[in-house]
Amino acid sequence: MGDETRNIPELELEGVIGFNGHVPFGLRLHPNRKHLIYPLGSIIILKRIEDGKQEFLHGHSNNVSCISVSKSGSYIASGQVNFMGFKAAVIIWNYAERTIHAQLLLHKAKVEAVAFSPSDKYLVSLGGRDDGSIIVWNVETKQAICGSPASAYGAGHCLTVEYSNTNDNIFASAGNGTLRVWELDLANRKIWPTECRTGKLSRTVKCIEISEADQFMFCGTTSGDIMKINLKMRLLISNGPVKEKYNQ
C-alpha cells in the first residue's frame, strides 16, 4: 500500500472562489495596479485584475491573520495565528519570484499586524493578546533589530501598527486606550515610545492612516469618530464628526 500511494502525485490548487473578509485590511492592491492580494485560510492569493488569473503563495501552517505590501511592491508580509504555546510565523514574500524571502518566528499564538517602512528596509510586527510585543525586523538580513511591549503597563491591548510615509525610523501603534508614536534608535537597537496626549478622550483605535507628508495621523475608533493627531507634537488636534448630544 505504501509503494502505491508514494507514486500518486499531489493535487494542485487551480482556483479559489471566495473572500471571507475576516482579516482586517486583508484586501490589498499591488502598487503595479495589476494584482489584488488577499488571504484565504492559510494561503495568499494574487489575482490578476485583467483576466482573473490566480497565483498562490503557500507557506503558512494556519490561518493568515494580517497582510501588508511594501511601498515599492517588492515584498509582501503576512502573519498567522497558531495554537496556544506555539510560535506564530511572520513570512516576508519576494513578490517578483513568488517565493519566501524570510520566515520570522518570535511572536506567540498570533500576529496582529505588520507594516513596512517607506524604503522597504524594515518591517514592524505586532503580536496578539497573548504576546503583546512589537518587533522591528531588518528585511535584508532577516534578523530582529529590537522589540518592546506594545502597550504601557495598565493600558489595553494593542490592535494595529502603521509606518510613517517618509521616515524609516518612525511608526505608530494603537489599540484599546493606547496610542503611541515610536522612534527607532538603530545605534542602540532600541525603540522609544511617546504616548500621544488625548486629554480626557479615551477610545479603542482599530485603524491608523498617516497623511502623505507625515503631518497628521487619523485614527478610526470603535465609537465611530475619528481622532486627528499632530504627529510631530504627539497631540490630539480634534475628533469628529460631532454627535448630537442628548439633554440630561
Side-chain angles (χ1 to χ4, degrees):
M1 186 67 186
D3 292 336
E4 288 173 23
T5 53
R6 209 172 289 145
N7 299 326
I8 298 171
E10 282 190 14
L11 291 173
E12 272 192 37
L13 191 61
E14 285 205 358
V16 173
I17 301 167
F19 175 75
N20 62 21
H22 290 169
V23 177
F25 317 105
L27 182 63
R28 301 279 182 162
L29 177 65
H30 191 268
N32 68 13
R33 309 188 78 81
K34 291 178 182 175
H35 284 88
L36 286 172
I37 300 163
Y38 58 95
L40 195 61
S42 62
I43 62 168
I44 290 162
I45 299 165
L46 312 179
K47 183 176 179 180
R48 197 157 62 198
I49 297 167
E50 188 183 336
D51 56 9
K53 185 179 183 295
Q54 294 176 336
E55 294 173 82
F56 308 101
L57 302 179
H58 299 272
H60 286 289
S61 59
N62 209 323
N63 288 346
V64 174
S65 55
C66 56
I67 191 164
S68 181
V69 181
S70 68
K71 284 187 169 55
S72 70
S74 301
Y75 299 106
I76 300 168
S78 53
Q80 69 171 62
V81 294
N82 212 340
F83 303 106
M84 281 293 292
F86 291 89
K87 296 281 174 73
V90 175
I91 295 180
I92 301 175
W93 307 86
N94 184 313
Y95 176 77
E97 296 174 13
R98 311 290 200 257
T99 55
I100 293 175
H101 170 73
Q103 191 158 344
L104 316 169
L105 278 168
L106 275 181
H107 292 295
K108 297 173 198 158
K110 184 182 180 184
V111 182
E112 196 77 61
V114 284
F116 282 100
S117 70
S119 71
D120 299 2
K121 211 172 186 180
Y122 309 121
L123 176 79
V124 61
S125 61
L126 168 66
R129 193 180 294 272
D130 301 304
D131 181 84
S133 65
I134 281 180
I135 298 171
V136 179
W137 306 85
N138 186 313
V139 174
E140 193 182 335
T141 64
K142 311 173 187 179
Q143 298 294 316
I145 297 169
C146 55
S148 171
S151 306
Y153 181 75
H157 173 50
C158 197
L159 296 167
T160 185
V161 289
E162 185 66 29
Y163 233 108
S164 152
N165 290 309
T166 60
N167 191 334
D168 276 336
N169 298 322
I170 301 284
F171 63 91
S173 70
N176 183 3
T178 175
L179 182 55
R180 297 172 130 187
V181 176
W182 300 77
E183 200 157 343
L184 173 63
D185 179 1
L186 195 61
N188 296 309
R189 293 173 71 98
K190 294 269 187 188
I191 41 175
W192 305 104
T194 307
E195 303 286 345
C196 291
R197 290 168 289 157
T198 59
K200 291 181 180 176
L201 197 72
S202 181
R203 293 285 186 270
T204 298
V205 176
K206 297 279 280 189
C207 55
I208 301 171
E209 275 297 324
I210 297 175
S211 63
E212 268 185 45
D214 287 342
Q215 286 177 295
F216 302 108
M217 182 164 73
F218 299 92
C219 306
T221 67
T222 52
S223 51
D225 54 349
I226 296 168
M227 300 161 69
K228 183 181 179 182
I229 308 286
N230 183 311
L231 199 59
K232 194 176 181 184
M233 306 287 290
R234 322 296 203 239
L235 182 67
L236 177 71
I237 303 296
S238 63
N239 75 301
V242 178
K243 295 186 180 75
E244 188 181 337
K245 292 181 174 65
Y246 294 99
N247 190 23
Q248 298 177 354

